[in-house]
């Protein structure tokens, strides 16, 4: 029996596969495309996603190849969000084509032993109390895979979601945006955007010297599909908004996209789970979609592996829906709000844009709140205990320890980490030993805000705080028992 079958070999499915293998669970990825799509719908890698990669030690190539941008946009407002104020080692976005991101994640998953089958397509499944029988169509004909769990990472038209009978309610498209990846002989400065009564336009540099042009005009506020985008139409729309075409030539990819917005009713039904676009569909405002999907996988992977290895009870998987479905709802809300701003071509819409832009420019708290929300750094999973420490559920920053080590390096094994922050040798946690737990003692070089009085912290493999307090806090054992069973073996970094 396969332990997990993942339908879909895009960035979300590949990151999930890597996390499952890191946790010791065999996984087979079934991907319909025989070859990787060279056209990149996603372009932006956000700070929290870079942190996710860094917590597994695979962030080097994206940092080396991506184009760093010190901010982002909200609704294509002229006043860009300043990411330099964010509490992260990576206060910027990376412009990196999805095709390259996918290639790097596939290499990582394969290096950990994932089975990636390209040119194979999940066509359906049947579930019983003991497992899932997954039907697959391959190059040599149909066959079946028997698995403990099936995860649909197979996009907005998810076969897995449909076969599971999971509802996908929302709203149909009322806006059709457009994009073009082209060469520009006279490109604008980085971070260029324009908004007039004639439309909205953004231009972002891509690795390799090409540029992505993205926009929407009043003519694009429609419910019908206008057909393929022609290069002449792209040029005309850009000139209408910006007054010039920036010397565009040699189109690599032209496309349109709509603002249909939907959210799966459940992220889990029995032995079937959903992640990424299979769980949430939205207008690609701010380049958030792929990032939220990878973070879905980061939340799910360690939980699924812990259940399969017998280190955690099955109901740990219920926390996946409880924690990530609200994130999907926030994504849907923010995307719709940005669509309203991007299509606010009326005098009232322009006034709204002016007002919100002024707030971003003059009130640092507005800039920071929107930036943290857009980048995923603000995600906090509500604790079960209302009396829990305020840090509980938050994502831990890359704490710097005396001696130069940082927290993310301790997370690379994919285990839970119980960290004594007093720096005392030995540590007081031997009584809590169990498989899947690393215990260690470190001293903070400079405690970040909110961490100065914390003497010990339990970190989940995804980097979120499960508990914070002192070593003799009885709540620690309760928090640990929710994510790991007791056991005999213990790993320690000293």
């Amino acid at each position: 029996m396969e332990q997990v079958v993942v339908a879909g070999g895009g960035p979300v499915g590949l990151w999930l596969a890597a996390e499952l293998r890191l946790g010791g669970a065999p996984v087979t990825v079934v991907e319909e495309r025989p070859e990787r799509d060279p056209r990149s719908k996603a372009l932006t890698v956000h700070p929290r996603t870079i942190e996710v990669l860094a917590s597994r030690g695979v962030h080097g190539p994206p940092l080396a190849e991506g184009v760093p941008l010190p901010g982002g946009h909200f609704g294509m407002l002229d006043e860009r969000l300043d990411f330099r104020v964010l509490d992260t080692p990576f206060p910027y976005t990376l412009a990196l084509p999805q095709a390259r991101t996918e290639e790097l994640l596939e290499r990582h998953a394969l290096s950990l032993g994932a089975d990636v089958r390209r040119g194979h397509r999940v066509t359906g499944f049947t579930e019983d109390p003991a497992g899932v029988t997954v039907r697959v169509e391959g190059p040599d004909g149909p066959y079946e895979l028997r698995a403990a769990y099936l995860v649909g990472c197979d996009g907005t038209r998810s076969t897995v979601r449909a076969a599971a009978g999971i509802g996908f309610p929302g709203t149909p498209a009322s806006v059709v945006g457009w994009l073009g990846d082209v060469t520009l002989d006279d490109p604008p400065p980085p971070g260029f955007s324009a908004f007039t009564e004639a439309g909205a336009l953004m231009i972002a540099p891509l690795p390799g010297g090409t540029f992505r042009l993205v926009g929407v005009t009043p003519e694009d506020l429609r419910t019908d599909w206008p057909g393929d985008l022609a290069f002449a139409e792209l040029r005309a729309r850009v000139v209408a908004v910006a007054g010039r075409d920036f010397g565009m030539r040699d189109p690599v990819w032209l496309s349109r996209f709509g603002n249909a917005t939907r959210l799966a009713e459940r992220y889990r039904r029995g032995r079937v789970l959903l992640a990424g676009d299979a769980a949430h569909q939205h207008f690609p405002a701010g380049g958030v979609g792929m990032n939220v999907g990878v973070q879905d996988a980061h939340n799910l992977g360690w939980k699924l592996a812990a259940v399969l290895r017998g280190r955690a009870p099955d109901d740990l998987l219920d926390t996946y829906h409880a924690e990530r479905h609200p994130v999907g709802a926030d994504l849907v809300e923010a995307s719709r709000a940005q669509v309203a701003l991007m299509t606010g071509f009326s005098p009232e819409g322009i006034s709204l844009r002016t007002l919100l832009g002024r707030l971003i420019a003059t009130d640092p708290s507005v800039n920071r709140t929107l930036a943290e929300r857009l980048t995923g750094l603000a995600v906090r999973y509500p604790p079960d205990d209302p009396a829990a420490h305020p840090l509980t559920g938050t994502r831990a920053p890359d704490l710097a320890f005396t001696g130069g080590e940082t927290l993310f390096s301790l997370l690379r094994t994919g285990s839970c980490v119980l960290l004594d922050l007093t720096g005392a040798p030995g540590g007081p946690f031997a009584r809590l030993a169990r498989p899947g737990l690393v215990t260690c003692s470190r001293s903070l070089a400079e405690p970040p805000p909110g961490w100065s009085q914390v003497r010990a912290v339990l970190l989940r493999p995804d980097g979120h705080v499960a508990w914070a307090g002192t070593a003799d806090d009885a709540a620690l054992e309760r928090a640990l028992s929710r994510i790991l069973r007791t056991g005999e073996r213990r790993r320690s970094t000293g």
Side-chain angles (χ1 to χ4, degrees):
M1 175 187 282
E2 308 290 330
Q3 288 207 303
V4 183
V5 171
V6 175
V12 177
L14 291 169
W15 187 255
L16 177 61
E19 288 295 285
L20 287 164
R21 289 301 303 133
L22 192 64
V27 56
T28 297
V29 179
V30 179
E31 167 53 48
E32 180 176 3
R33 297 168 299 171
E35 303 292 337
R36 189 174 298 106
D37 190 346
R39 300 170 299 180
S40 296
K41 291 186 291 185
L43 174 63
T44 306
V45 183
H46 277 292
R48 177 55 186 159
T49 302
I50 306 174
E51 287 189 349
V52 165
L53 301 179
S55 72
R56 301 298 186 252
V58 295
H59 58 306
L63 290 182
E65 299 178 27
V67 179
L69 300 171
H73 79 90
F74 189 85
M76 286 192 182
L77 293 174
D78 294 336
E79 295 78 8
R80 292 179 65 82
L81 299 176
D82 185 359
F83 289 173
R84 293 172 296 182
V85 302
L86 297 174
D87 180 20
T88 175
F90 315 107
Y92 45 78
T93 62
L94 290 177
L96 186 67
Q98 178 179 328
R100 180 55 176 158
T101 300
E102 190 175 301
E103 182 180 7
L104 294 171
L105 297 188
E106 182 170 354
R107 182 188 304 170
H108 175 52
L110 290 173
S111 73
L112 292 172
D115 178 7
V116 179
R117 303 185 184 183
R118 289 193 170 273
H120 297 244
R121 178 173 62 91
V122 170
T123 59
F125 69 89
T126 55
E127 181 180 351
D128 57 67
V132 183
T133 300
V134 184
R135 295 189 296 275
V136 181
E137 183 70 34
D140 298 324
Y143 63 97
E144 293 182 344
L145 292 171
R146 183 69 175 163
Y149 293 93
L150 169 64
V151 185
C153 301
D154 49 345
T156 58
R157 297 181 177 88
S158 171
T159 296
V160 172
R161 186 189 63 239
I166 297 174
F168 201 40
T171 52
S174 59
V175 176
V176 181
W178 39 264
L179 71 80
D181 291 348
V182 300
T183 297
L184 297 181
D185 291 329
D186 185 22
F192 173 86
S193 65
F195 188 95
T196 70
E197 293 181 355
L201 171 68
M202 289 189 63
I203 300 179
L206 300 174
T210 57
F211 292 81
R212 172 159 293 180
L213 285 63
V214 183
V216 61
T217 68
E219 292 78 16
D220 299 315
L221 308 186
R222 56 198 298 172
T223 58
D224 63 315
W225 191 254
D228 293 341
L229 178 69
F231 184 55
E233 182 184 352
L234 173 68
R235 186 194 303 275
R237 275 164 158 62
V238 170
V239 171
V241 176
R244 59 194 182 103
D245 71 356
F246 304 98
M248 69 169 67
R249 57 180 173 85
D250 299 335
V252 177
W253 184 37
L254 303 175
S255 184
R256 300 188 199 268
F257 51 90
N259 69 321
T261 305
R262 298 181 177 89
L263 180 65
E265 292 177 337
R266 300 290 306 171
Y267 281 20
R268 180 193 186 190
R269 174 162 289 172
R271 294 180 175 273
V272 178
L273 302 105
L274 304 175
D277 289 349
H280 36 75
Q281 179 182 9
H282 58 93
F283 195 74
V288 178
M290 181 191 72
N291 294 272
V292 174
V294 169
Q295 291 158 38
D296 287 343
H298 201 55
N299 181 288
L300 176 59
W302 70 271
K303 295 175 179 177
L304 197 48
V307 170
L308 287 165
R309 294 295 301 275
R311 295 193 296 254
D314 177 82
D315 60 11
L316 178 63
L317 296 179
D318 292 333
T319 68
Y320 171 61
H321 171 85
E323 292 178 347
R324 294 305 296 178
H325 191 269
V327 175
D330 285 346
L331 169 65
V332 165
E333 179 183 68
S335 298
R336 284 177 170 146
Q338 291 192 72
V339 169
L341 289 169
M342 288 185 220
T343 58
F345 302 119
S346 67
E348 292 79 10
I350 292 173
S351 293
L352 175 62
R353 292 175 56 85
T354 300
L355 174 62
L356 185 55
R358 188 180 300 126
L359 288 174
I360 291 172
T362 60
D363 189 336
S365 66
V366 174
N367 173 82
R368 189 180 190 102
T369 297
L370 287 175
E372 288 178 341
R373 179 170 177 170
L374 185 70
T375 59
L377 296 175
V379 171
R380 179 177 186 261
Y381 302 134
D384 295 330
D385 183 358
H389 191 282
L391 288 176
T392 306
T394 63
R395 137 260 174 214
D398 192 20
L399 301 170
F401 305 124
T402 55
E405 189 181 25
T406 67
L407 175 63
F408 289 171
S409 65
L410 297 180
L411 295 172
R412 291 183 180 178
T413 63
S415 299
C416 294
V417 175
L418 185 51
L419 184 59
D420 174 16
L421 292 173
T422 67
F429 299 121
R431 72 185 192 281
L432 299 172
R434 62 196 67 189
L437 178 66
V438 170
T439 62
C440 52
S441 182
R442 299 290 188 274
S443 296
L444 291 174
E446 185 175 348
W451 286 80
S452 59
Q453 301 302 314
V454 177
R455 295 292 174 263
V457 63
L458 173 63
L459 298 167
R460 305 171 1 163
D462 60 8
H464 281 257
V465 176
W467 166 90
T470 59
D472 58 355
D473 187 349
L476 169 57
E477 292 198 46
R478 294 195 298 271
L480 190 52
S481 67
R482 284 193 289 268
I483 56 177
L484 285 178
R485 299 181 192 271
T486 57
E488 301 299 326
R489 303 187 307 278
R490 179 170 71 95
R491 301 177 59 205
S492 175
T493 61

